[in-house]
Amino acid sequence: MTSPNEGRLGLFTYNTGTIKNVTLVSGEVGCGDNKTDVAISNVGAIVAYNKGTVTNCKVSGLTIAVKYTPDKEAKDNVMYVGGIAGVNANLIDQCVVENVTKIEVSLDGATTNNGASKVSAGGIVGFLDKATMQYCFANSIEKINSYAESYKTYVFSGGAVGSTMGNAKMDEIVVGATPNL
């Protein structure tokens, strides 16, 4: 799955229902070098933006990458990349990410305005937004990376979650060990 444009990218772009028992094996998920005024990129192999339930899903053998070069006047660039979901705003339950080459987001080039940017990459979820992630497992991910050239950019990377907000809840999350799910 690839997209040359900004926005959401995943097997599902936006979920408000239930995604269950989906397995993705081998391939690439990513956005090319976007050159636009504002980037709002949510990228996840299963779902870009989750407001529903994702349960018992597995991602294995993928490369997930987003690269964005902002216009000099760009502001408020927000990019979230995760193995299962770019953004989780409800529930991710019993999901597995393993044998992934990389999960990476990069914001190249500095902007000249007063806008702030945020880039976040996580093994399971890029951004956990006042939501729950439980009984999930991430293992054998070679590289998780967030990169930004701009001086007003918040950069986050994590084995399970890139960044969180509000009352995010993580229960029984395993990173880098054999799961007992």
Side-chain angles (χ1 to χ4, degrees):
M1 287 178 275
T2 60
S3 171
N5 300 319
E6 65 180 295
R8 297 181 175 132
L9 177 65
L11 184 60
F12 300 94
T13 55
Y14 191 83
N15 177 43
T16 57
T18 299
I19 298 171
K20 187 174 184 178
N21 301 327
V22 174
T23 299
L24 292 178
V25 178
S26 186
E28 295 182 12
V29 178
C31 292
D33 190 4
N34 303 318
K35 295 183 184 204
T36 56
D37 290 340
V38 177
I40 302 175
S41 293
N42 303 316
V43 178
I46 301 293
V47 61
Y49 195 101
N50 180 50
K51 285 190 86 167
T53 299
V54 177
T55 188
N56 198 35
C57 292
K58 181 178 180 180
V59 171
S60 179
L62 295 180
T63 296
I64 304 166
V66 176
K67 180 180 179 186
Y68 175 69
T69 304
D71 178 291
K72 290 292 182 190
E73 300 302 316
K75 61 181 178 181
D76 301 330
N77 302 298
V78 179
M79 299 173 15
Y80 304 118
V81 179
I84 297 292
V87 175
N88 178 32
N90 192 33
L91 175 63
I92 292 182
D93 182 37
Q94 300 176 45
C95 291
V96 175
V97 177
E98 64 183 1
N99 301 318
V100 171
T101 304
K102 72 177 172 181
I103 298 173
E104 184 173 61
V105 57
S106 63
L107 177 64
D108 296 337
T111 58
T112 58
N113 63 16
N114 291 325
S117 299
K118 180 177 179 181
V119 294
S120 179
I124 300 167
V125 174
F127 180 60
L128 193 59
D129 186 9
K130 301 175 219 136
T132 300
M133 187 171 74
Q134 61 189 18
Y135 312 112
C136 293
F137 170 69
N139 189 35
S140 298
I141 301 171
E142 290 180 28
K143 178 180 182 181
I144 299 175
N145 187 41
S146 297
Y147 168 81
E149 215 173 85
S150 179
Y151 74 97
K152 283 187 133 182
T153 301
Y154 302 95
V155 180
F156 306 94
S157 297
V161 175
S163 60
T164 64
M165 173 185 246
N167 293 325
K169 178 183 174 190
M170 291 179 273
D171 190 21
E172 295 196 38
I173 306 302
V174 178
V175 177
T178 304
N180 189 14
L181 300 175

